[in-house]
């Protein structure tokens, strides 16, 4: 492949080749630079584009994103997102059918590829589940990932508890230890059956839900299994003051100290989001452990929250990966907003650079996974390659392609993607996917998801009353009119 700009790796850092070449053979990179001396079966010239390593998203949305429902919608507790005591007493139910659960991953994985993400560790919401995820579901999800060609770290999420809302507005915890341990058994079975399959494209991971929804026994067994299988463990922690207070109340320690006690704080630990860390002692503990933080700046900034200093964490030696955790699945947007937020929090531009965020999306994610063959383009590395067009008018006049993309680029500037040496997207089209059909089915499912909010809310109100648009609707809702009009090619135009 040829492009006007190629991001290579010199063994220590990314370097930029002007009018560069990348030669791949099978699933591996053979050469990066200029003037390849050997025979080549086919040259592909991508012209004015940035050819670089694929992005790694370690908190990748695998769902139909519901944050649009809670945005500027008042008290989230009243909208039926969180379980109510009434709902818990009646017995939680699945919001989707089995096929719909699998479809949401197809929809999300397509979005990831479309935005230049080549390696993903997906995340979905448990509020819409009867309990947690299942082995059979993920056996099907692995098939979807392999069909699309996305490199994934998969496993059913498991948990031993769930917070719910009481009638007085306070929160309480519901525990089911047996169900949590059964979920871990399913995760182990999935790992043993699927890790390394599809030519290594599918890898296993242990994915407990959140630190406050897991009991000591569940996390202790997770730690032991991680050691036995050499499996990465992703655990959401330090992401809110309520979580930190609850962990202290239940376990007598702050989250990171508790994980250290459980022997879960180590190089295989992948921890979104790490915003609420208690001072330099916790940062030193985190850095010394070798654990990685997954930084997801966009989704937290929407609620007015942010990491206090990306640069300070890095100065302590903390390894950062990046995640999206919401729609759009745009890591360029997360780099841009992450950079801006870091400089606002740090009061200047000296502690955090654009390259720091790009490194997190590539080399940092690879380090978190223990992979020295991902996140870089060098001989022997996996041929996970993305091409971002530099022709867009919105990018402005070019000086440095990476700076232009981080300042003004967007995920759909990605025009081609290769994963494991296979072209999975060309000219912005993911292979084998009908975008219009995909969007129509997603809209139908999302309509059902909105309706399910009424079941979880106290009193099971009319679901139409639970969501407020940014601009008030001019007419009243009738019983037969959906909140969103679903257009199809056969619908009358109106």
């Amino acid at each position: 492949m040829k492009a006007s700009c190629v991001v290579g790796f010199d063994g220590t850092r990314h370097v930029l080749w002007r009018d560069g070449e990348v030669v791949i053979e099978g699933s591996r990179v053979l050469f990066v630079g200029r003037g390849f001396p050997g025979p080549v079966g086919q040259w592909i010239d991508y012209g004015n584009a940035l050819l670089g390593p694929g992005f790694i998203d370690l908190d990748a949305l695998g769902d139909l994103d519901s944050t649009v429902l809670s945005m500027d919608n008042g008290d989230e507790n009243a909208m039926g997102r969180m379980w109510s005591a009434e709902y818990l007493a009646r017995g939680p139910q699945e919001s989707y059918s089995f096929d719909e659960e699998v479809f949401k991953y197809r929809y999300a994985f397509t979005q990831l590829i479309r935005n230049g993400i080549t390696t993903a560790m997906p995340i979905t919401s448990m509020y819409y589940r009867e309990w947690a995820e299942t082995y059979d579901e993920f056996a099907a999800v692995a098939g979807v990932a392999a069909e699309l060609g996305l490199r994934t770290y998969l496993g059913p999420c498991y948990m031993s508890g769930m917070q719910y809302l009481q009638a007085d507005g306070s929160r309480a915890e519901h525990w089911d230890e047996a169900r949590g341990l059964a979920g871990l058994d399913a995760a182990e079975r999935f790992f043993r059956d699927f890790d390394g399959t599809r030519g290594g494209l599918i890898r296993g991971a242990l994915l407990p839900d959140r630190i406050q929804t897991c009991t000591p026994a569940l996390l202790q067994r997770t730690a032991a299994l991680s050691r036995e299988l050499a499996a990465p463990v992703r655990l959401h922690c330090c992401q809110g003051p309520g979580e930190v207070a609850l962990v202290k109340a239940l376990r007598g320690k702050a989250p990171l100290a508790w994980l250290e006690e459980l022997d879960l704080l180590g190089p295989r630990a992948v921890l979104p989001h790490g915003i609420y860390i208690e001072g330099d002692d916790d940062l030193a503990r985190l850095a010394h452990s070798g654990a990685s933080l997954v930084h997801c700046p966009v989704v937290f900034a929407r609620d007015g929250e942010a990491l206090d200093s990306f640069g300070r964490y890095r100065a302590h030696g903390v390894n950062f990966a990046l995640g999206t955790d919401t729609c759009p699945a745009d890591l360029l947007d997360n780099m841009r907003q992450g950079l801006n937020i870091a400089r606002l929090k740090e009061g200047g531009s000296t502690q955090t650079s654009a390259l720091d965020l790009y490194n997190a999306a590539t080399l940092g994610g690879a380090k978190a996974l223990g992979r020295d063959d991902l996140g870089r383009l060098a001989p022997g590395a996996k041929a996970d390659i993305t091409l971002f067009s530099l022709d867009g008018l919105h990018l402005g006049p070019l000086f440095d392609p990476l700076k232009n993309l981080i300042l003004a680029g967007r995920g759909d500037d990605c025009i081609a993607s290769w994963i494991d040496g296979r072209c999975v997207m060309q000219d912005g089209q993911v292979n084998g996917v009908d975008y219009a059909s995909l969007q129509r089915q997603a809209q139908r499912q999302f309509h059902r998801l909105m309706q399910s909010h009424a079941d979880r809310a106290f009193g099971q109100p009319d679901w139409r009353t639970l969501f407020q648009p940014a601009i008030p609707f001019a007419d009243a809702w009738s019983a037969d009119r959906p909140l969103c009009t679903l257009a199809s090619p056969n619908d009358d135009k109106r």
Side-chain angles (χ1 to χ4, degrees):
M1 307 175 200
K2 298 179 181 180
S4 61
C5 300
V6 169
V7 179
F9 185 73
D10 68 1
T12 302
R13 60 180 182 171
H14 292 307
V15 293
L16 191 64
W17 287 91
R18 289 166 288 187
D19 298 319
E21 302 169 357
V22 173
V23 179
I24 67 173
E25 186 173 38
S27 67
R28 298 281 178 175
V29 174
L30 188 64
F31 172 85
V32 181
R34 276 196 302 271
F36 179 66
V40 173
Q42 178 188 10
W43 281 109
I44 303 174
D45 191 342
Y46 284 102
N48 191 29
L50 180 69
L51 187 160
F55 293 151
I56 299 171
D57 186 344
L58 297 188
D59 211 35
L61 187 72
D63 219 333
L64 303 185
D65 195 8
S66 59
T67 55
V68 67
L69 301 177
S70 58
M71 184 178 182
D72 297 342
N73 197 57
D75 182 8
E76 187 173 340
N77 290 336
M79 67 175 289
R81 179 172 166 83
M82 177 171 278
W83 294 5
S84 69
E86 289 177 356
Y87 179 70
L88 183 60
R90 288 195 308 271
Q93 298 179 345
E94 299 286 4
S95 297
Y96 293 141
S97 69
F98 179 89
D99 288 344
E100 288 171 332
E101 289 291 352
V102 177
F103 170 80
K104 73 185 187 186
Y105 281 95
R106 179 178 296 278
Y107 182 81
F109 288 174
T110 300
Q111 300 268 14
L112 295 171
I113 294 172
R114 182 67 191 86
N115 283 273
I117 292 161
T118 58
T119 298
M121 186 180 280
I123 177 71
T124 67
S125 172
M126 297 300 105
Y127 287 128
Y128 302 103
R129 306 305 304 261
E130 179 186 355
W131 187 251
E133 294 167 334
T134 69
Y135 173 94
D136 289 341
E137 177 187 331
F138 268 77
V141 170
V144 171
E147 175 192 334
L148 293 172
L150 182 65
R151 189 182 302 281
T152 48
Y153 280 74
L154 297 175
C157 174
Y158 54 91
M159 61 191 187
S160 41
M162 174 65 87
Q163 277 200 312
Y164 66 94
L165 195 64
Q166 301 186 103
D168 63 1
S170 63
R171 298 186 181 190
E173 294 75 49
H174 169 71
W175 300 103
D176 191 333
E177 182 79 280
R179 224 168 180 179
L181 295 174
L184 177 57
D185 289 343
E188 178 183 0
R189 179 185 166 205
F190 179 88
F191 190 99
R192 294 186 185 278
D193 288 350
F194 285 91
D195 182 54
T197 60
R198 304 299 182 106
L201 206 62
I202 306 299
R203 298 294 300 270
L206 301 177
L207 306 173
D209 178 40
R210 289 165 289 167
I211 189 171
Q212 71 269 34
T213 63
C214 296
T215 59
L218 186 65
L219 291 183
Q220 285 168 342
R221 294 195 190 187
T222 296
L225 188 59
S226 173
R227 291 192 295 272
E228 178 185 344
L229 301 175
V233 178
R234 186 187 62 199
L235 182 62
H236 287 66
C237 71
C238 307
Q239 62 177 326
E243 170 224 297
V244 174
L246 181 59
V247 171
K248 285 182 176 179
L250 292 174
R251 315 303 173 200
K253 288 183 170 62
L256 289 184
W258 190 44
L259 291 183
E260 187 176 51
E261 181 180 287
L262 295 169
D263 201 21
L264 260 177
L265 198 65
R268 286 188 294 274
V270 179
L271 308 176
H273 297 272
I275 289 177
Y276 291 88
I277 287 180
E278 300 191 331
D280 288 347
D281 288 345
D282 254 5
L283 279 178
R285 174 183 283 117
L286 184 63
H288 179 73
S289 73
S292 297
L293 286 186
V294 185
H295 186 38
C296 307
V298 169
V299 71
F300 276 87
R302 288 176 182 169
D303 288 329
E305 298 178 285
L307 195 72
D308 65 355
S309 174
F310 187 93
R312 185 166 66 89
Y313 280 44
R314 286 188 65 257
H316 275 78
V318 174
N319 180 56
F320 273 110
L322 281 191
T324 49
D325 199 17
T326 188
C327 189
D330 188 342
L331 278 180
L332 282 180
D333 187 35
N334 276 270
M335 291 180 217
R336 174 166 52 251
Q337 294 201 42
L339 179 64
N340 293 341
I341 291 165
R343 291 180 169 184
L344 283 170
K345 299 290 280 187
E346 294 160 5
S349 60
T350 60
Q351 294 186 60
T352 301
S353 71
L355 181 59
D356 292 335
L357 275 298
Y358 183 78
N359 283 341
T362 53
L363 300 173
K367 183 177 180 180
L369 296 173
R371 301 284 299 262
D372 61 6
D373 60 345
L374 299 180
R376 71 208 69 198
L377 295 183
K382 283 291 185 179
D384 290 5
I385 298 166
T386 54
L387 283 297
F388 281 83
S389 172
L390 299 176
D391 285 332
L393 184 66
H394 59 281
L395 293 176
L398 294 175
F399 157 65
D400 175 323
L402 181 59
K403 289 181 181 179
N404 280 82
L405 283 169
I406 289 180
L407 283 172
R410 50 186 186 244
D412 63 6
D413 287 320
C414 188
I415 55 173
S417 182
W418 295 68
I419 303 177
D420 212 43
R422 169 191 173 192
C423 184
V424 300
M425 181 179 74
Q426 186 73 5
D427 298 323
Q429 176 62 53
V430 177
N431 295 348
V433 179
D434 180 340
Y435 288 175
S437 175
L438 193 78
Q439 187 68 12
R440 284 195 296 271
Q441 183 170 343
Q443 187 65 57
R444 284 191 291 268
Q445 283 192 205
F446 196 69
H447 183 67
R448 287 189 56 189
L449 185 76
M450 294 171 72
Q451 292 174 307
S452 77
H453 277 246
D455 294 329
R456 289 181 295 275
F458 280 104
Q460 294 181 275
D462 185 330
W463 64 274
R464 294 170 180 82
T465 67
L466 296 176
F467 313 109
Q468 303 301 318
I471 299 172
F473 291 112
D475 53 354
W477 294 113
S478 61
D480 60 348
R481 185 173 186 180
L483 198 61
C484 297
T485 299
L486 178 63
S488 75
N490 297 320
D491 286 340
D492 292 334
K493 297 205 181 288
R494 57 184 186 266

